[in-house]
Amino acid sequence: MRIRAHAFGDNRPSRDLVLSPGHAVCLDLLGEVLVPANALVNGATIVRDTVNTVTYWHVELDSHDILLAEGLPAESYLDAGNRAFFAENDVVDLDLTPDDRPAHADFCRPFHEDGVLVDAARAQLRRRAEALGWRLETPEPFADTHLMVDGRIVQLDRLGLIGCFLLPATAQEVWLITPTNTPRDAAMGLDQRDLGLSLSRLALDDGLHAVREIALDDSRMVDGFHIAEVDHRWTGGRARIPADLWAGLIGTVRLRLDLRGPSLPRWVVTPEAMSTAGSEDQVA
């Protein structure tokens, strides 16, 4: 998790702070409480980082307590049965996760993963993000969307809510790549699925055969697709288009995607706003 500079208030943190998803920060919400970073993700000032490798560094005290990390109160290491995960051990148990927390863990402050207090913190964080210059914008249809075809980027032609890609009929590995957001981060409910494109139609043709309509609930579309709904199916950020969908077609295949509507709004910010921390709407 990346907590951007000033996300909770001026110099809280003083610069970007990277925490593991379950690492808790300390907030004053009718008294001090601990809230894990992944419960506060908002797509703007607190985001999920994508990395290839990660190294965990923990500070362990005589007892669980609060430290200042780049000016932001955060917890010290709590031995909750996950010590075998870390590299100081002769054998690292990769079946464990570094953020496992049993319900009876001996926290130094009350621990909240959800509920009214977490909702209040999220609302404060949103107001703070807006004060820092962040805003939700609905992107153009298919914005920043492309195919990866056997390791090569293929761009699309678009007309309104219809997008078309051209790919060779010999293609084997085809992935639909698109930015995502969650309805929760877009202030559109509690749904936490990462949603990319809302497809209402998928069709293939090579100009020689009849257009091949692909059912939205086709069982071959598994990787990177959410469960089909009544009139649409959401993709994730990286959805595999299986090659057997165009088996028997020849030459150049046109892949047509129709959208039910635009993608979810995304948080954007101007460089000027990012370089200036406002003093309003501090998060306790």
Side-chain angles (χ1 to χ4, degrees), residues 225-277:
F225 286 90
H226 294 284
I227 295 173
E229 300 177 51
V230 174
D231 60 351
H232 67 284
R233 187 171 188 179
W234 283 100
T235 70
R238 189 170 186 268
R240 183 173 180 270
I241 312 294
D244 56 354
L245 293 181
W246 55 87
L249 300 184
I250 60 176
T252 299
V253 174
R254 183 180 70 157
L255 169 63
R256 171 173 169 163
L257 303 177
D258 291 17
L259 301 183
R260 185 188 63 159
S263 299
L264 296 180
R266 302 174 195 165
W267 286 99
V268 297
V269 67
T270 62
E272 294 79 10
M274 280 296 291
S275 64
T276 304

Coordinates of all heavy atoms in Angstrom, one line a residue, residues 225-277:
F225 N -11.9 -12.1 -16.0 CA -13.3 -11.7 -16.2 C -14.0 -11.9 -15.0 O -13.8 -12.9 -14.2 CB -13.9 -12.5 -17.3 CG -13.5 -12.2 -18.7 CD1 -12.4 -12.8 -19.3 CD2 -14.2 -11.2 -19.5 CE1 -12.0 -12.5 -20.6 CE2 -13.8 -10.9 -20.8 CZ -12.7 -11.5 -21.3
H226 N -14.9 -11.0 -14.7 CA -15.9 -11.2 -13.6 C -17.1 -12.0 -14.1 O -17.3 -12.1 -15.3 CB -16.3 -9.8 -13.0 CG -15.2 -9.1 -12.3 ND1 -14.7 -9.4 -11.1 CD2 -14.4 -8.0 -12.7 CE1 -13.7 -8.6 -10.7 NE2 -13.5 -7.7 -11.7
I227 N -17.9 -12.4 -13.2 CA -19.0 -13.2 -13.5 C -20.0 -12.4 -14.4 O -20.2 -11.2 -14.1 CB -19.7 -13.8 -12.2 CG1 -18.8 -14.7 -11.5 CG2 -21.1 -14.5 -12.6 CD1 -19.4 -15.2 -10.1
A228 N -20.5 -13.0 -15.4 CA -21.4 -12.3 -16.3 C -22.7 -11.9 -15.6 O -23.2 -12.7 -14.8 CB -21.8 -13.2 -17.5
E229 N -23.2 -10.7 -15.8 CA -24.5 -10.3 -15.3 C -25.5 -10.2 -16.3 O -25.3 -10.8 -17.4 CB -24.2 -8.9 -14.6 CG -23.1 -9.0 -13.5 CD -22.8 -7.6 -12.9 OE1 -23.8 -7.0 -12.4 OE2 -21.6 -7.3 -12.8
V230 N -26.7 -9.7 -16.1 CA -27.8 -9.8 -17.0 C -27.5 -9.3 -18.4 O -27.8 -10.0 -19.4 CB -29.0 -9.0 -16.4 CG1 -30.2 -9.0 -17.4 CG2 -29.5 -9.6 -15.1
D231 N -26.9 -8.1 -18.5 CA -26.7 -7.6 -19.9 C -25.3 -7.1 -20.1 O -25.0 -6.4 -21.1 CB -27.7 -6.4 -20.1 CG -27.5 -5.3 -19.1 OD1 -26.7 -5.5 -18.1 OD2 -28.1 -4.2 -19.3
H232 N -24.3 -7.5 -19.3 CA -23.0 -7.1 -19.4 C -22.0 -8.0 -18.6 O -22.5 -8.8 -17.8 CB -22.8 -5.7 -19.0 CG -23.0 -5.5 -17.5 ND1 -24.2 -5.5 -16.9 CD2 -22.1 -5.3 -16.5 CE1 -24.1 -5.3 -15.6 NE2 -22.8 -5.2 -15.3
R233 N -20.8 -7.9 -18.9 CA -19.7 -8.6 -18.1 C -18.5 -7.7 -18.0 O -18.0 -7.2 -18.9 CB -19.3 -9.9 -18.8 CG -18.4 -10.8 -18.0 CD -18.2 -12.1 -18.6 NE -17.5 -13.0 -17.7 CZ -17.2 -14.3 -18.0 NH1 -17.5 -14.8 -19.2 NH2 -16.5 -15.0 -17.1
W234 N -18.1 -7.5 -16.7 CA -17.0 -6.7 -16.4 C -15.7 -7.5 -16.6 O -15.6 -8.6 -16.3 CB -17.0 -6.2 -15.0 CG -18.0 -5.1 -14.7 CD1 -19.2 -5.2 -14.1 CD2 -17.8 -3.7 -14.9 NE1 -19.8 -4.0 -14.0 CE2 -18.9 -3.0 -14.5 CE3 -16.7 -3.0 -15.5 CZ2 -19.1 -1.6 -14.6 CZ3 -16.9 -1.6 -15.6 CH2 -18.0 -0.9 -15.1
T235 N -14.7 -6.8 -17.2 CA -13.3 -7.3 -17.2 C -12.6 -6.8 -16.0 O -13.0 -5.8 -15.3 CB -12.5 -6.9 -18.4 OG1 -12.3 -5.5 -18.3 CG2 -13.3 -7.1 -19.7
G236 N -11.5 -7.4 -15.6 CA -10.5 -6.8 -14.7 C -9.5 -6.0 -15.5 O -9.7 -5.6 -16.6
G237 N -8.3 -5.8 -14.9 CA -7.3 -5.1 -15.5 C -6.6 -5.8 -16.6 O -5.9 -5.2 -17.5
R238 N -6.6 -7.2 -16.5 CA -5.8 -8.0 -17.5 C -6.7 -9.2 -17.7 O -6.7 -10.2 -16.9 CB -4.5 -8.3 -16.9 CG -3.5 -9.0 -17.9 CD -2.1 -9.1 -17.3 NE -1.1 -9.6 -18.2 CZ -0.8 -10.9 -18.4 NH1 -1.4 -11.8 -17.6 NH2 0.1 -11.2 -19.3
A239 N -7.4 -9.2 -18.9 CA -8.3 -10.3 -19.2 C -7.8 -11.1 -20.4 O -7.5 -10.5 -21.4 CB -9.7 -9.8 -19.5
R240 N -7.8 -12.4 -20.3 CA -7.3 -13.3 -21.3 C -8.4 -13.6 -22.3 O -9.5 -14.0 -22.0 CB -6.7 -14.6 -20.8 CG -6.1 -15.5 -21.8 CD -5.4 -16.7 -21.1 NE -4.8 -17.6 -22.1 CZ -5.5 -18.6 -22.7 NH1 -6.7 -18.9 -22.3 NH2 -4.9 -19.4 -23.5
I241 N -8.1 -13.3 -23.6 CA -9.0 -13.6 -24.7 C -8.5 -14.9 -25.3 O -7.5 -14.9 -26.0 CB -9.1 -12.5 -25.8 CG1 -9.3 -11.1 -25.2 CG2 -10.2 -12.8 -26.8 CD1 -10.6 -10.9 -24.5
P242 N -9.2 -16.1 -25.0 CA -8.6 -17.4 -25.4 C -8.6 -17.5 -26.9 O -9.6 -17.2 -27.6 CB -9.5 -18.4 -24.7 CG -10.8 -17.7 -24.4 CD -10.4 -16.2 -24.2
A243 N -7.5 -18.1 -27.5 CA -7.3 -18.2 -28.9 C -8.4 -19.1 -29.6 O -8.7 -19.0 -30.8 CB -5.9 -18.8 -29.2
D244 N -9.0 -20.1 -28.8 CA -9.9 -21.0 -29.5 C -11.2 -20.2 -29.8 O -12.1 -20.8 -30.5 CB -10.2 -22.2 -28.7 CG -10.7 -21.9 -27.2 OD1 -10.7 -20.8 -26.9 OD2 -11.0 -22.9 -26.5
L245 N -11.4 -19.0 -29.4 CA -12.6 -18.2 -29.8 C -12.6 -17.9 -31.3 O -13.6 -17.8 -31.9 CB -12.6 -16.9 -29.0 CG -12.9 -17.0 -27.5 CD1 -13.0 -15.6 -26.9 CD2 -14.2 -17.7 -27.2
W246 N -11.4 -17.8 -31.9 CA -11.3 -17.5 -33.3 C -10.7 -18.7 -34.1 O -10.3 -18.6 -35.2 CB -10.5 -16.3 -33.6 CG -9.1 -16.2 -33.0 CD1 -7.9 -16.7 -33.6 CD2 -8.7 -15.6 -31.8 NE1 -6.9 -16.5 -32.8 CE2 -7.3 -15.8 -31.7 CE3 -9.4 -15.0 -30.8 CZ2 -6.6 -15.3 -30.6 CZ3 -8.7 -14.5 -29.7 CH2 -7.3 -14.7 -29.6
A247 N -10.8 -19.9 -33.5 CA -10.3 -21.1 -34.2 C -11.1 -21.3 -35.5 O -12.4 -21.1 -35.6 CB -10.5 -22.3 -33.4
G248 N -10.4 -21.5 -36.6 CA -11.1 -21.7 -37.9 C -11.1 -20.4 -38.8 O -11.3 -20.5 -40.0
L249 N -10.9 -19.2 -38.2 CA -10.8 -18.0 -38.9 C -9.4 -17.9 -39.5 O -8.4 -18.5 -39.0 CB -11.1 -16.8 -38.0 CG -12.5 -16.8 -37.4 CD1 -12.7 -15.5 -36.6 CD2 -13.6 -17.0 -38.4
I250 N -9.3 -17.1 -40.6 CA -8.0 -17.0 -41.2 C -7.6 -15.6 -41.5 O -8.4 -14.7 -41.4 CB -8.0 -17.8 -42.6 CG1 -9.1 -17.2 -43.5 CG2 -8.3 -19.3 -42.4 CD1 -9.1 -17.8 -44.9
G251 N -6.3 -15.4 -41.8 CA -5.8 -14.0 -42.1 C -5.9 -13.1 -40.9 O -5.3 -13.4 -39.9
T252 N -6.5 -12.0 -41.1 CA -6.6 -11.0 -40.0 C -8.0 -11.0 -39.4 O -9.0 -11.0 -40.1 CB -6.4 -9.6 -40.6 OG1 -5.1 -9.5 -41.1 CG2 -6.5 -8.5 -39.5
V253 N -8.0 -11.1 -38.1 CA -9.3 -11.2 -37.3 C -9.6 -9.9 -36.7 O -8.7 -9.2 -36.1 CB -9.2 -12.3 -36.3 CG1 -10.4 -12.3 -35.4 CG2 -9.0 -13.7 -36.9
R254 N -10.9 -9.5 -36.8 CA -11.3 -8.3 -36.2 C -12.0 -8.7 -34.9 O -13.0 -9.4 -34.9 CB -12.2 -7.5 -37.0 CG -12.7 -6.1 -36.4 CD -13.6 -5.3 -37.3 NE -14.9 -6.0 -37.4 CZ -16.0 -5.3 -37.8 NH1 -15.9 -4.0 -38.0 NH2 -17.1 -5.9 -37.9
L255 N -11.6 -8.2 -33.8 CA -12.2 -8.4 -32.5 C -13.0 -7.1 -32.1 O -12.4 -6.0 -32.0 CB -11.2 -8.6 -31.4 CG -11.6 -8.6 -29.9 CD1 -12.7 -9.7 -29.7 CD2 -10.4 -8.8 -29.0
R256 N -14.3 -7.2 -32.0 CA -15.2 -6.1 -31.7 C -15.7 -6.2 -30.3 O -16.2 -7.2 -29.9 CB -16.3 -6.0 -32.7 CG -17.4 -5.0 -32.3 CD -18.5 -4.8 -33.3 NE -19.6 -4.0 -32.8 CZ -20.5 -3.4 -33.5 NH1 -20.5 -3.5 -34.8 NH2 -21.5 -2.7 -32.9
L257 N -15.5 -5.1 -29.5 CA -16.0 -5.0 -28.2 C -17.0 -3.9 -28.1 O -16.7 -2.7 -28.5 CB -14.8 -4.8 -27.2 CG -13.7 -5.8 -27.2 CD1 -12.6 -5.3 -26.3 CD2 -14.2 -7.2 -26.8
D258 N -18.2 -4.1 -27.6 CA -19.2 -3.1 -27.4 C -19.3 -2.9 -25.9 O -19.3 -3.9 -25.1 CB -20.6 -3.5 -27.9 CG -20.6 -3.5 -29.4 OD1 -19.5 -3.5 -30.1 OD2 -21.7 -3.5 -30.0
L259 N -19.4 -1.7 -25.4 CA -19.5 -1.4 -24.0 C -20.9 -1.0 -23.7 O -21.6 -0.4 -24.4 CB -18.6 -0.2 -23.6 CG -17.1 -0.3 -23.9 CD1 -16.4 0.9 -23.4 CD2 -16.5 -1.6 -23.2
R260 N -21.3 -1.5 -22.5 CA -22.6 -1.1 -22.0 C -22.6 0.4 -21.6 O -23.6 1.1 -21.7 CB -23.0 -1.9 -20.7 CG -24.4 -1.6 -20.2 CD -24.7 -2.3 -18.9 NE -23.9 -1.8 -17.9 CZ -24.2 -2.0 -16.6 NH1 -25.3 -2.6 -16.2 NH2 -23.3 -1.5 -15.6
G261 N -21.5 0.9 -21.1 CA -21.3 2.3 -20.7 C -19.9 2.6 -20.4 O -19.0 1.7 -20.6
P262 N -19.6 3.8 -20.0 CA -18.2 4.1 -19.7 C -17.6 3.4 -18.5 O -18.4 2.8 -17.7 CB -18.2 5.6 -19.4 CG -19.6 5.9 -19.0 CD -20.5 4.9 -19.7
S263 N -16.3 3.4 -18.4 CA -15.7 2.8 -17.2 C -16.0 3.7 -16.0 O -16.6 4.8 -16.0 CB -14.2 2.8 -17.4 OG -13.9 1.9 -18.5
L264 N -15.6 3.1 -14.8 CA -15.9 3.9 -13.6 C -15.0 5.1 -13.5 O -14.0 5.2 -14.1 CB -15.5 3.0 -12.4 CG -16.3 1.7 -12.1 CD1 -15.8 1.0 -10.9 CD2 -17.8 2.0 -12.0
P265 N -15.5 6.1 -12.8 CA -14.7 7.3 -12.7 C -13.4 7.0 -12.0 O -13.3 6.0 -11.2 CB -15.5 8.2 -11.7 CG -16.9 7.7 -11.9 CD -16.8 6.3 -12.2
R266 N -12.3 7.8 -12.3 CA -11.0 7.6 -11.8 C -10.5 8.9 -11.1 O -10.9 10.0 -11.5 CB -10.0 7.2 -12.8 CG -10.4 5.9 -13.6 CD -9.4 5.7 -14.8 NE -9.9 4.7 -15.7 CZ -9.4 4.6 -16.9 NH1 -8.4 5.3 -17.3 NH2 -9.9 3.7 -17.8
W267 N -9.7 8.7 -10.1 CA -9.2 9.9 -9.4 C -8.0 10.4 -10.2 O -7.2 9.7 -10.7 CB -8.7 9.5 -8.0 CG -9.7 9.3 -7.0 CD1 -10.3 8.1 -6.6 CD2 -10.4 10.3 -6.3 NE1 -11.2 8.2 -5.7 CE2 -11.4 9.6 -5.4 CE3 -10.4 11.6 -6.2 CZ2 -12.2 10.3 -4.6 CZ3 -11.2 12.3 -5.4 CH2 -12.1 11.6 -4.5
V268 N -8.0 11.7 -10.4 CA -6.9 12.4 -11.1 C -6.5 13.6 -10.3 O -7.3 14.1 -9.5 CB -7.3 12.8 -12.5 CG1 -7.6 11.6 -13.4 CG2 -8.5 13.8 -12.5
V269 N -5.3 14.1 -10.5 CA -4.8 15.2 -9.8 C -3.8 16.0 -10.6 O -3.1 15.4 -11.5 CB -4.1 14.8 -8.4 CG1 -2.8 14.0 -8.7 CG2 -3.9 16.0 -7.5
T270 N -3.8 17.3 -10.5 CA -2.8 18.1 -11.3 C -1.5 18.1 -10.6 O -1.4 17.9 -9.3 CB -3.3 19.5 -11.4 OG1 -3.4 20.1 -10.0 CG2 -4.7 19.6 -12.0
P271 N -0.4 18.2 -11.3 CA 0.9 18.2 -10.7 C 1.1 19.3 -9.7 O 1.7 19.2 -8.7 CB 1.9 18.4 -11.9 CG 1.1 17.8 -13.1 CD -0.3 18.2 -12.8
E272 N 0.4 20.5 -10.0 CA 0.5 21.6 -9.1 C -0.1 21.3 -7.7 O 0.4 21.6 -6.7 CB -0.2 22.8 -9.7 CG 0.5 23.4 -10.9 CD 0.1 22.6 -12.2 OE1 -0.8 21.7 -12.1 OE2 0.8 22.8 -13.2
A273 N -1.3 20.6 -7.8 CA -1.9 20.2 -6.5 C -1.1 19.2 -5.7 O -1.0 19.3 -4.5 CB -3.3 19.6 -6.8
M274 N -0.4 18.3 -6.4 CA 0.4 17.3 -5.7 C 1.5 17.9 -5.0 O 2.0 17.4 -4.0 CB 0.9 16.3 -6.7 CG -0.1 15.2 -7.1 SD -0.6 14.2 -5.7 CE 0.9 13.3 -5.4
S275 N 2.0 19.1 -5.5 CA 3.2 19.7 -4.9 C 2.9 20.6 -3.8 O 3.7 21.2 -3.1 CB 4.0 20.4 -6.0 OG 3.2 21.5 -6.5
T276 N 1.6 20.8 -3.5 CA 1.1 21.7 -2.5 C 0.2 21.0 -1.5 O -0.8 20.5 -1.9 CB 0.4 22.9 -3.1 OG1 1.2 23.6 -4.1 CG2 0.0 23.9 -2.0
A277 N 0.5 21.0 -0.3 CA -0.3 20.3 0.8 C -1.2 21.4 1.4 O -0.7 22.4 2.0 CB 0.6 19.7 1.8

